[in-house]
Amino acid sequence: MTERIFNFSAGPAVLPMSVLEEAQRDLISLPGVGMSVLEISHRSKTFEDIIEAAEADIRKLYNISDNYHLLFLQGGASLQFSMVPLNLLEKGGQADYIITGAWSKAALKEAKKVGQTNVVATTEAENFRRIPKQSEFNLNSEACYVHYTSNNTIFGTQWQSEPEVGSVPLICDASSDVLSRPLDIDKYGLIYAGAQKNMGPAGVTMVIIRKDLVKEPSPELATMLAYKTHTETKSLYNTPPVFSIYIVRLVAKWLLGLGGLEVMEKMNQEKGHLLYDAIDSTEFYKGHAEKDSRSLMNVTFRLPNEDLEKKFVKEATASGLDGLKGHRSVGGLRASIYNAFPKEGVEALVSFMKEFERKNG
Ligand SMILES: *Cc1c(COP(=O)(O)O)cnc(C)c1O
């Protein structure tokens, strides 16, 4: 058994041990199949069962109704930055964007290439340390959709509940908090998430789209970029990322085995509180996010100066706490503690923090 360290990486990120073990066990030969999942046809009954089980389990976890398609696509969340406007931003129409971080800005950049956009709220002037309040939104009732980012991976902020947008379809980039808590899917027009933060390995992107939003694509739209192509072929228009979908399927099964998303949310709250309490209990550490905007997935914090931050990262890494260096746009430290990140790892970080402050504070 090779020793594992605590992996605080923001993504690709830690996966459940039981998932890795099952994948390892079945890598040479899937039970009853005699071939590895890496070698089977995406048109085989074996893979059909895998992709159907992945969809069925995620539908169960989120309680998704028949009004929605669930797709497994490629191109990452970044391709959704383009696919959303290419499919949903009608000619002559406009789209509303709420800007809460670098990924929202990246989404907006792609939409601007397609049509008219409005920034209906932004907290950039405050280096994205908070989620804007409903009273700050300048929504357009005519908009084709409102786009927001539920968890801001880089800045460590998270929406505590959805923005209210009336009857305009709500579009969410949930890449870094997908499956971390229950959601009322009926509030959404479309949700997308790259798998590699909280749901599986890199290579697959989940899209949940309300059926009435899947329109006849304009003839000039590339086939692969039309949602309709993928809803009509159940994500099998071309060869899908078979292995990534297989792992997502195992992760979904793991979540159901834990008791579902209410249980997962409780576990995430416990881990988050442990770490935020450690930050709040001293002046030595300072959280980047405002308290009411804090993320349970990515915890961002600073030390009194950059030299100490460098020293912290170096010594933490040497003690088996990996991936804690913050993104350059925030600086300091970032502990990503996604679903699969164990509570023992948070406890280990908290004791490391106490010890580090004792020696350097
Ligand atoms: C990581 C991330 C992305 C980019 O995802 P890719 O799959 O690499 O395109 C987009 N949005 C959010 C919120 C992210 O955390």
Side-chain angles (χ1 to χ4, degrees), residues 75-78 81 103 149 151 153 173 175-176 194 196-197:
S78 297
F81 297 165
W103 294 118
T149 314
N151 184 74
T153 326
D173 174 0
S175 292
S176 51
Q196 71 274 19
K197 312 277 164 51

Side-chain angles (χ1 to χ4, degrees), residues 4-9 312-325 333-335 341 344-353:
R4 280 171 62 84
I5 57 172
F6 290 120
N7 173 11
F8 290 91
S9 166
F312 185 103
V313 171
K314 196 165 163 229
E315 292 180 10
T317 309
S319 330
L321 307 172
D322 195 71
L324 285 164
K325 189 178 186 306
L333 288 300
R334 170 175 54 174
F341 190 89
E344 301 77 62
V346 177
E347 288 163 348
L349 174 58
V350 167
S351 25
F352 180 88
M353 287 166 72

